[in-house]
Amino acid sequence: MKKTVFLGSIAVAGMAAGMGMADTLADVKARGELNCGVNTGLVGFAAPDANGNWAGFDIDLCKAVAAAVLGDPSKVKYVPTTGQTRFTALSSGEVDMLARNSTWTFSRDTDLKLDFAGVNYYDGQGFMVPKDLGVTSVKELGGATICIQTGTTTELNLADYFKANDMEYQPVNIDSNAEGEQQYMAGACDAYTTDISGLAATRAAFADPENHVILPEVVSKEPLGPAVRHGDNNWGDIVRWTLNALIAAEEYGVTSKNIEELVKSSENPEVQRLLGVSGELGAMIGLDNEWAKRAIQAAGNYGEIFAANIGEQTPIGLTRGLNAQWTQGGLLYAQPFR
């Protein structure tokens, strides 16, 4: 098993090295479309409707990058990827970026030759159980069967947590959230573990969400963010600063509704630079000066995107928590636009 994982890492690293001289910006412009790697289906984050139209928190980041680069948020090809296929899809060039619940870790950043462009959701691993099981704490799950997605950081977290607490468990391996939902609902496992945001999104899709409980323990740190390949720093800058533009826009009160008025009237120098009224920030990353304005107009600022897809007024019902602005007690903090 260890040998297989090692060789897999080498293969991915080799593909990444081969892509080292790639000019992703030029490729995307020539193609006229952004290839964005997303989840196979996680309501609120990335999922197609009955007509095949994708929507969600991660989807809106894809749209923002497409708007910044191509001037049109609809110029995106959404490429579904599993926990097993996502990094190979990125390293091989099948996708230009990953906008999928992927945790920024040391080994992924270095050994897999990825560059994480920032954190768009601070998450943690949790556990969901049927309410009628009567379990109120993860520490009551000794000897339980647990559904776990392979190829994810949650596998190691699960093993570490149970070992640290001298507990046994039986893993039920799954390849995707859809399979996890199916197995959990079929009773193949006592509990389902993944990121808490994923559990909330999965539960929201149940016919009886009130009969399933997310246990209170958070057993890991899971900083989720968009990723690009090593070796194409300009493309990494574009994705990073597009995410920063969405976060900064919320901090400065720039919304999809008032943005045109602020272009005309804002006297805040940072807002003026963000919206391309002054300075030449766009030219520094190979884009025009209204790139960030278009990114914000695509689906709104970070707060608008959060509220529309996964916020407290949606069926998923997530609070901002750590994902609030730094001025509101959270961890969101965009680097300065100057």
Side-chain angles (χ1 to χ4, degrees):
M1 177 59 74
K2 289 182 178 178
K3 184 177 180 181
T4 301
V5 172
F6 175 74
L7 291 174
S9 298
I10 292 296
V12 170
M15 285 188 285
M19 299 293 293
M21 299 302 291
D23 184 344
T24 308
L25 175 59
D27 292 342
V28 172
K29 285 184 172 179
R31 191 189 310 126
E33 188 173 59
L34 173 72
N35 292 336
C36 202
V38 298
N39 199 299
T40 52
L42 185 61
V43 173
F45 285 86
D49 64 17
N51 297 316
N53 298 312
W54 287 81
F57 181 80
D58 292 330
I59 296 301
D60 284 347
L61 180 58
C62 301
K63 291 180 178 177
V65 173
V69 173
L70 299 170
D72 186 342
S74 72
K75 300 295 186 183
V76 184
K77 177 184 178 182
Y78 299 103
V79 181
T81 61
T82 68
Q84 296 277 22
T85 64
R86 55 185 160 176
F87 300 129
T88 301
L90 178 61
S91 297
S92 68
E94 181 183 0
V95 300
D96 303 308
M97 60 177 283
L98 275 180
R100 185 191 188 285
N101 50 332
S102 297
T103 304
W104 185 352
T105 70
F106 180 94
S107 59
R108 288 174 176 176
D109 203 347
T110 57
D111 191 42
L112 292 187
K113 309 299 182 187
L114 307 181
D115 280 339
F116 282 84
V119 176
N120 70 335
Y121 194 92
Y122 289 94
D123 212 340
Q125 184 174 344
F127 294 78
M128 178 168 64
V129 296
K131 190 174 183 179
D132 61 11
L133 204 60
V135 171
T136 59
S137 168
V138 177
K139 292 183 179 177
E140 297 172 22
L141 290 177
T145 52
I146 300 179
C147 285
I148 177 80
Q149 287 191 55
T150 54
T152 68
T153 55
T154 53
E155 282 185 287
L156 181 59
N157 297 335
L158 177 64
D160 287 349
Y161 184 83
F162 273 67
K163 182 179 180 181
N165 287 281
D166 196 24
M167 297 160 57
E168 300 288 334
Y169 70 98
Q170 180 63 45
V172 177
N173 294 325
I174 56 175
D175 286 329
S176 66
N177 191 65
E179 184 183 359
E181 178 180 336
Q182 182 182 38
Q183 294 282 51
Y184 172 82
M185 293 301 286
C189 50
D190 300 311
Y192 182 26
T193 184
T194 187
D195 298 338
I196 290 175
S197 63
L199 294 177
T202 300
R203 183 174 63 173
F206 290 169
D208 60 341
E210 71 279 5
N211 291 326
H212 302 272
V213 178
I214 296 175
L215 300 176
E217 289 92 344
V218 180
V219 303
S220 70
K221 293 186 295 184
E222 304 295 334
L224 311 180
V228 297
R229 291 178 288 276
H230 264 189
D232 190 350
N233 292 348
N234 186 59
W235 180 247
D237 287 343
I238 289 170
V239 176
R240 177 178 303 107
W241 285 97
T242 298
L243 174 60
N244 279 337
L246 302 180
I247 295 171
E250 183 187 25
E251 178 181 349
Y252 295 123
V254 180
T255 72
S256 56
K257 294 181 176 59
N258 67 13
I259 192 168
E260 291 293 357
E261 179 58 33
L262 289 177
V263 166
K264 300 173 186 173
S265 64
S266 177
E267 296 182 357
N268 182 325
E270 188 132 359
V271 172
Q272 291 179 350
R273 289 189 290 271
L274 175 68
L275 301 183
V277 177
S278 64
E280 295 293 338
L281 298 187
M284 297 179 188
I285 53 174
L287 301 178
D288 65 61
N289 227 28
E290 293 191 341
W291 65 277
K293 176 188 172 188
R294 291 193 301 271
I296 298 163
Q297 288 176 312
N301 66 33
Y302 181 92
E304 291 178 282
I305 291 170
F306 190 104
N309 293 296
I310 57 177
E312 293 182 80
Q313 303 306 312
T314 69
I316 297 169
L318 294 172
T319 62
R320 290 293 295 269
L322 296 177
N323 297 291
Q325 291 280 337
W326 66 286
T327 53
Q328 302 294 319
L331 297 179
L332 280 191
Y333 186 110
Q335 286 72 36
F337 279 78
R338 60 175 181 262

